[in-house]
Amino acid sequence: MNSTIETILNHVSVRSFTDQPLTQEQIKQLVTAGQAASSASFQQAYTIIGVSDQELKMKIADLAGGQKFIAEGGHFFVFCADVNRHKQIAEDMNIDISGTIEGMDAILVGAIDASLAAQNLVLAAESMGLGVCYIGGVRDGIIGISDLLNIPEYVAPVFGIVVGYPNERNDTKPRLPFEAVYHENNYNNDTKGLINQYDELTKLYYSTRSGIKQNKIWSESAVGSFVRHPRTFMKKFLTDKGWAKH
Ligand SMILES: Cc1cc2nc3c(=O)[nH]c(=O)nc-3n(C[C@H](O)[C@H](O)[C@H](O)COP(=O)(O)O)c2cc1C
């Protein structure tokens, strides 16, 4: 155990923030920590848009599934997969990369790079005593949010992150058993027993945790989330922006 692992293991999503804003220095420090992450082929295929305009933040909160806390404190970062700058550089060099950036792998490259930078930013924030919450709800409102942020082609918002001073924190959530997630030498397709055990653990967690208590288990909430967020418009959104055509 060391202080880095302690910070990692103490992670909880925070959904209530004080009014204390982040300083410009903190924002720069966080983004710089994000940028230090590894990047596939060093493409740095992402852009982070900070939303400081309160009215814009409220509109985004609305479009991101009506998650009001996004606009109630903290700084909002929108992480975008981005190969737009690569396209522009290639055009200047008279090189055609459209076959690559229009393929499925390019959106993965951008989304992976954005995620690695994001998690670095999250850990940096948590090490500073700040709270964070990822906002995948950005993809629920991806069309409207992209319009608001003037997102050009070959750019796609993948999630947001709210970062701020925590008002309250939940207890840390237990994760899936080690053996359910770590398989050795081949894929273990028989993890039902482990998942049943985990459902019992999460039932206890949700019914006894500090803060809002709920009667639910992990299996139901995970499947329920897929039911609530089919996001069937995503393929069209991506292809309209030039991505994922083949
Ligand atoms: C990509 C991503 C998107 C998420 N989107 C949302 C969201 O829109 N709203 C929200 O309240 N939490 C969101 N979360 C937070 C998860 O609900 C949370 O990480 C999960 O329940 C585990 O809880 P913990 O982070 O407190 O350990 C998101 C997390 C990730 C990684």
Side-chain angles (χ1 to χ4, degrees), residues 8-75:
I8 291 170
L9 295 181
N10 279 333
H11 161 78
V12 285
S13 292
V14 170
R15 297 180 179 84
S16 172
F17 300 92
T18 70
D19 290 336
Q20 187 176 347
L22 300 190
T23 63
Q24 284 304 315
E25 197 190 346
Q26 282 173 313
I27 292 168
K28 190 147 187 213
Q29 214 164 26
L30 292 174
V31 171
T32 304
Q35 288 188 267
S38 292
S39 162
S41 303
F42 202 29
Q43 296 281 13
Q44 305 184 74
Y46 62 94
T47 291
I48 305 166
I49 301 178
V51 183
S52 49
D53 182 281
Q54 185 56 23
E55 207 175 306
L56 183 58
K57 219 158 52 156
M58 277 158 55
K59 284 183 187 158
I60 293 176
D62 226 27
L63 289 165
Q67 302 193 70
K68 294 205 180 321
F69 72 90
I70 295 170
E72 286 174 354
H75 193 76

Side-chain angles (χ1 to χ4, degrees), residues 2 13 17 21 25 33 48 51 87 108 133 136 159 180 194 197 201 203 239-240 246:
N2 59 42
S13 292
F17 300 92
E25 197 190 346
I48 305 166
V51 183
K87 174 148 189 291
L108 288 175
C133 189
F159 49 75
L194 292 166
Q197 276 173 32
L201 187 64
K203 189 176 182 178
T239 51
D240 286 351
H246 56 86

Side-chain angles (χ1 to χ4, degrees), residues 1-13 116 118-130 132 134 169-175:
M1 187 62 90
N2 59 42
S3 62
T4 304
I5 296 176
E6 231 168 87
T7 301
I8 291 170
L9 295 181
N10 279 333
H11 161 78
V12 285
S13 292
L116 298 180
Q119 188 59 19
N120 256 22
L121 181 148
V122 158
L123 289 176
E126 291 181 333
S127 77
M128 291 156 68
L130 297 166
V132 306
Y134 279 90
R169 287 166 55 90
N170 287 323
D171 295 335
T172 55
K173 267 186 204 169
R175 273 14 191 192

